[in-house]
Amino acid sequence: MARSLYEWLWQHEFWLPPGITWEDMQESEDVRYPQPRDLLLSIPFALILVVIRYAFERAIALPLSSKLGVRDKQRPNAQPNPMLETFYSTRCKNPEEGELITLAKQCDLPVRKVERWFRRRRNTDRPSLSKKFCEACWRFTFYIISFFTGLAVLYDKPWLWDHRECWTGYPQQPLQPSLFWYYLLELSFYWSLVFTLPFDVKRKDFKEQIVHHAATIFLISFSYCANYIRIGTLVMVIHDAADCFLEPTKIFNYMKWKKTCDSLFMIFSAVFLISRLVIFPYTVLYNTYYYSMEIFQPFFGYYFVNALLIILQLLHVFWSCLIMHMVYKFILQGTMEKDMRSDTEESDKDEERENIKEKEKNGITYFSSVTSNNYIQRNGSEPLNNRAHLTNGHVKER
């Protein structure tokens, strides 16, 4: 069964253009082609990157955050309550009003206290500022290394300047060692992101991030097996260009360097929009869809790689809409809106607002107590309970 599945999966019709078989891709002493088994190396390398990241964050990023003045907020802890904790862990972290009322009756607590408990418990689970800082430092370090590695590998390659060269001699294009290690570096990094996904900072576009990581890993893996190495290197270097500006923007935001953060965000926005909405469609999408047809006829691999690239482009459009909305707000208000991808912390100021609302609901009682005191004070006298008490029907000064 497993052998039949293996033979079906690796049919040359899936991976190679018509007229080309796996026999035509046999290696020799002088020529090496991509082999699917090479991708297995990305798993141990990804685990090594996870270890390096852990050491980097503890030994470099965390002490750096303290020196740069990044401080975590002091969050009030939720009081231990087994019933509420069980509901929080197994049912829902943000219960509806009806559920709050039911829980309040079961715990014999006011509804407001139950609501406050859930708010504080959610805040406890939110990542600290130092954790966000460390994660941004690690990604910034990697993206810088990866981007300049890509430029060093590609600067003398003809397909960087003439995109039709991506298909010259395809698929019998020899694999150069520098391209192999560049591919392995990128694939290992995205596998490491998948491994650490449960522990990383979760943002509002968490589902889109999962789709992005999956599409990227599939794209890198498939492009390697089908020897789309040249087009794959262009995809990777284009993506790293904008990410090099995104992470330092986050870092300066955590440091409260507002002007620097705003300036970097505008640079990032310009680089992202140009690279993902202009350069990527022309250099990659048009290249794989149109130029490749000058060399071979459509086959399964052609449709599959284009489908993955289109998924990436749809994600580019989604994130571009968020970015343009933030830029629009910045132009109108002159200040940068908080990242809509971030999960904002619920403040105890909400409790103060709730207390005010409760007082306002009392209406006459609250209003009369305030106005009576104001009336006495406006007439130049101290409140009665502060200035006198009655003795035998007479006012006696204290």
Side-chain angles (χ1 to χ4, degrees):
M1 182 68 179
R3 183 175 180 81
S4 300
L5 180 62
Y6 179 85
E7 292 177 352
W8 174 84
L9 178 63
W10 294 105
Q11 295 181 72
H12 61 82
E13 291 86 357
F14 290 165
W15 302 88
L16 301 173
I20 304 293
T21 64
W22 290 116
E23 285 73 19
D24 299 320
M25 302 294 292
Q26 293 295 324
E27 295 181 335
S28 64
E29 294 182 359
D30 300 327
V31 178
R32 185 192 175 195
Y33 294 114
Q35 299 297 324
R37 63 177 179 270
D38 297 338
L39 297 178
L40 296 176
L41 289 173
S42 64
I43 303 300
F45 272 85
L47 296 176
I48 292 173
L49 282 179
V50 172
V51 174
I52 293 174
R53 171 183 174 175
Y54 181 83
F56 173 86
E57 290 184 354
R58 294 297 176 274
I60 299 176
L62 193 58
L64 184 63
S65 68
S66 299
K67 291 184 178 180
L68 294 177
V70 178
R71 298 286 183 268
D72 294 331
K73 287 184 178 180
Q74 295 297 324
R75 298 167 176 169
N77 294 323
Q79 294 295 325
N81 190 309
M83 185 176 295
L84 297 181
E85 185 65 37
T86 301
F87 186 92
Y88 181 87
S89 303
T90 60
R91 293 280 301 278
C92 178
K93 295 183 178 181
N94 196 0
E96 301 292 337
E97 185 175 357
E99 294 172 321
L100 288 172
I101 295 173
T102 303
L103 288 170
K105 291 179 180 179
Q106 293 174 352
C107 298
D108 194 22
L109 292 172
V111 176
R112 295 299 180 187
K113 284 191 175 181
V114 175
E115 187 176 6
R116 183 183 305 132
W117 188 95
F118 276 95
R119 182 186 304 115
R120 291 182 174 180
R121 185 65 181 84
R122 287 192 297 269
N123 282 339
T124 303
D125 282 350
R126 286 188 171 89
S128 62
L129 203 61
S130 59
K131 178 178 174 59
K132 294 180 180 180
F133 180 90
C134 292
E135 182 178 315
C137 283
W138 164 249
R139 297 197 182 199
F140 172 64
T141 302
F142 176 84
Y143 287 135
I144 283 290
I145 293 174
S146 178
F147 178 66
F148 284 101
T149 298
L151 291 181
V153 168
L154 295 177
Y155 83 97
D156 60 344
K157 303 299 187 292
W159 62 86
L160 180 63
W161 314 105
D162 183 2
H163 306 319
R164 279 187 168 88
E165 288 292 326
C166 288
W167 311 109
T168 301
Y170 179 84
Q172 294 169 309
Q173 297 171 335
L175 176 63
Q176 300 177 21
S178 59
L179 298 178
F180 167 76
W181 289 109
Y182 180 44
Y183 246 74
L184 188 63
L185 175 67
E186 290 279 353
L187 183 58
S188 300
F189 175 71
Y190 282 102
W191 271 121
S192 72
L193 292 183
V194 172
F195 295 157
T196 59
L197 205 57
F199 314 103
D200 287 343
V201 176
K202 289 182 176 61
R203 303 184 185 276
K204 293 181 180 178
D205 62 346
F206 179 72
K207 294 179 180 179
E208 289 80 4
Q209 286 285 353
I210 295 177
V211 174
H212 176 268
H213 294 342
T216 302
I217 289 173
F218 273 115
L219 182 58
I220 294 176
S221 301
F222 183 84
S223 65
Y224 186 86
C225 295
N227 205 11
Y228 282 109
I229 297 291
R230 297 184 178 183
I231 199 70
T233 54
L234 294 179
V235 173
M236 292 187 293
V237 77
I238 288 173
H239 277 71
D240 289 341
D243 292 331
C244 289
F245 292 97
L246 174 60
E247 301 306 326
T249 302
K250 297 178 183 178
I251 291 172
F252 284 110
N253 180 45
Y254 304 145
M255 293 168 54
K256 310 297 184 185
W257 290 24
K258 182 173 173 50
K259 291 184 178 180
T260 306
C261 173
D262 291 350
S263 301
L264 278 174
F265 182 80
M266 297 304 292
I267 296 173
F268 159 74
S269 301
V271 174
F272 186 95
L273 296 176
I274 293 172
S275 62
R276 306 291 177 92
L277 299 185
V278 179
I279 297 177
F280 183 83
Y282 173 72
T283 303
V284 177
L285 291 180
Y286 186 75
N287 195 356
T288 55
Y289 178 78
Y290 181 74
Y291 287 157
S292 60
M293 291 297 94
E294 298 177 354
I295 307 298
F296 53 79
Q297 295 299 313
F299 65 106
F300 175 81
Y302 165 82
Y303 295 114
F304 187 70
V305 75
N306 275 283
L308 291 176
L309 291 172
I310 289 174
I311 291 174
L312 282 183
Q313 184 59 24
L314 292 176
L315 291 172
H316 296 164
V317 173
F318 169 78
W319 284 314
S320 296
C321 291
L322 296 182
I323 291 170
M324 287 188 287
H325 179 77
M326 294 178 70
V327 172
Y328 175 75
K329 290 287 186 181
F330 177 75
I331 293 174
L332 286 184
Q333 300 176 359
T335 181
M336 188 62 64
E337 189 184 57
K338 288 184 178 180
D339 187 358
M340 290 181 292
R341 298 168 57 230
S342 299
D343 188 14
T344 55
E345 183 168 340
E346 297 169 274
S347 171
D348 282 343
K349 291 180 180 178
D350 297 335
E351 298 176 14
E352 298 175 6
R353 287 194 291 268
E354 290 171 4
N355 292 335
I356 293 175
K357 288 180 181 178
E358 287 180 359
K359 291 180 180 180
E360 290 175 348
K361 286 180 182 178
N362 294 330
I364 298 173
T365 304
Y366 175 70
F367 177 76
S368 61
S369 64
V370 173
T371 52
S372 61
N373 287 337
N374 287 343
Y375 175 77
I376 293 172
Q377 291 177 5
R378 280 198 302 268
N379 284 277
S381 303
E382 296 179 2
L384 183 62
N385 58 358
N386 289 333
R387 58 183 285 265
H389 61 89
L390 294 175
T391 304
N392 297 324
H394 300 282
V395 175
K396 181 178 180 181
E397 295 293 337
R398 288 181 179 177

